[in-house]
Amino acid sequence: MEFSVLIVLSSALLFACAPLAYAQKVASPPAPTPTPSPAPAPSPPYVNLTLLLSVAGPFQNFLNYLESTKVIDTFQNQANNTDEGITIFVPKDDAFKNLKNPSLSNLTQDQLKQLILFHALPHFYSLSDFKNLSQVSPISTFAGAGGYALNFTDSSGTVHLDSGWSKTKVSSSVHATDPVAIYQVDKVLLPEAIFGTDIPPTPAPAPAPETSPTADSPTSDDTTGSSPANSLPNSSFRINGVGIWSQLVLGIAGVVVLFL
């Protein structure tokens, strides 16, 4: 009897615990698998303008002005810490050597800084972009607007620049990868705000050297000297004529004396 009661109690206990265990099993969903987060986009490489200009071409004079005026820091920050990028027009060394008038040595430190800032635009422009810029010129430079703006003209793919005081063109592309574009120009860009509005006149061509006359060609001295020679017969004729009249007068005078 006791054994039967024990069996009945055990069965009732199992029957009561089974639904609870099943409920716990259903109520516990499997742990979700974590979704991997996307890797961050790599940052653009740092552009060292000093190194780039040092190895790209004969730009040492321009680089020296960049460093002495501290403009290199402004350009470096624009190239690496903004979304706009930068476009720089770099005169080659010969352009500074050929710049005789006006001379940059007469500029103040502030004017020299403005002149170097004048050689850059605060935005990245590829060569194909200048065709559109030519329709909206003038374009403000790092130095400012007005007398520090540049006019662009695209002529059959050749980019021409006009500052209002000097004119030049892009002769080659040194570096044109966003965010930095560097283009070589033939002349130093001279802003109108510093040098005025008058474009310097084109120098007159040198006079042709005088050529000495050849031995066979007649000279003015020869022509002048021939005049007395040509007049000699006339002079002789006049002298001879005077002598004949003198003799005739003397003969008549002798006849008259004889008759007297």
Side-chain angles (χ1 to χ4, degrees):
M1 183 67 180
E2 293 179 0
F3 181 73
S4 299
V5 174
L6 183 59
I7 292 176
V8 172
L9 291 176
S10 298
S11 300
L13 183 60
L14 290 174
F15 182 81
C17 293
L20 181 60
Y22 178 77
Q24 291 179 349
K25 183 178 181 181
V26 173
S28 302
T33 304
T35 303
S37 58
S43 58
Y46 181 84
V47 180
N48 189 325
L49 295 177
T50 301
L51 179 61
L52 184 59
L53 292 174
S54 297
V55 300
F59 305 133
Q60 191 59 48
N61 286 338
F62 185 73
L63 183 56
N64 290 341
Y65 283 119
L66 276 176
E67 294 175 341
S68 63
T69 58
K70 308 298 182 183
V71 173
I72 185 65
D73 298 332
T74 302
F75 288 178
Q76 199 74 66
N77 179 71
Q78 180 73 16
N80 294 287
N81 301 325
T82 69
D83 295 331
E84 291 294 322
I86 189 172
T87 300
I88 308 175
F89 302 101
V90 185
K92 52 188 178 180
D93 286 344
D94 289 344
F96 288 94
K97 294 178 182 178
N98 296 332
L99 189 63
K100 303 299 183 183
N101 188 19
S103 174
L104 301 187
S105 60
N106 297 328
L107 300 181
T108 64
Q109 187 67 14
D110 184 65
Q111 288 175 328
L112 188 59
K113 180 178 180 179
Q114 289 295 101
L115 182 140
I116 299 303
L117 288 170
F118 185 60
H119 284 74
L121 307 178
H123 187 79
F124 171 83
Y125 292 105
S126 64
L127 282 175
S128 60
D129 292 332
F130 287 105
K131 187 173 184 180
N132 295 329
L133 285 186
S134 63
Q135 301 174 3
V136 295
S137 291
I139 304 299
S140 299
T141 65
F142 256 103
Y148 289 107
L150 280 172
N151 290 281
F152 294 91
T153 304
D154 188 309
S155 176
S156 301
T158 300
V159 180
H160 296 266
L161 297 83
D162 185 354
S163 71
W165 208 93
S166 61
K167 298 180 180 181
T168 186
K169 65 179 181 179
V170 173
S171 54
S172 68
S173 175
V174 179
H175 182 88
T177 302
D178 196 3
V180 175
I182 299 177
Y183 301 108
Q184 176 180 297
V185 292
D186 294 336
K187 296 180 180 179
V188 178
L189 299 176
L190 304 176
E192 180 182 312
I194 296 177
F195 296 97
T197 58
D198 295 330
I199 297 178
T202 304
E210 296 182 358
T211 57
S212 57
T214 59
D216 295 335
S217 61
T219 62
S220 58
D221 293 336
D222 294 339
T223 304
T224 305
S226 62
S227 298
N230 293 335
S231 62
L232 285 178
N234 296 332
S235 301
S236 301
F237 178 78
R238 289 195 297 269
I239 295 173
N240 292 336
V242 172
I244 294 173
W245 282 105
S246 299
Q247 293 178 1
L248 181 60
V249 170
L250 291 175
I252 294 174
V255 171
V256 172
V257 170
L258 292 176
F259 280 101
L260 291 176

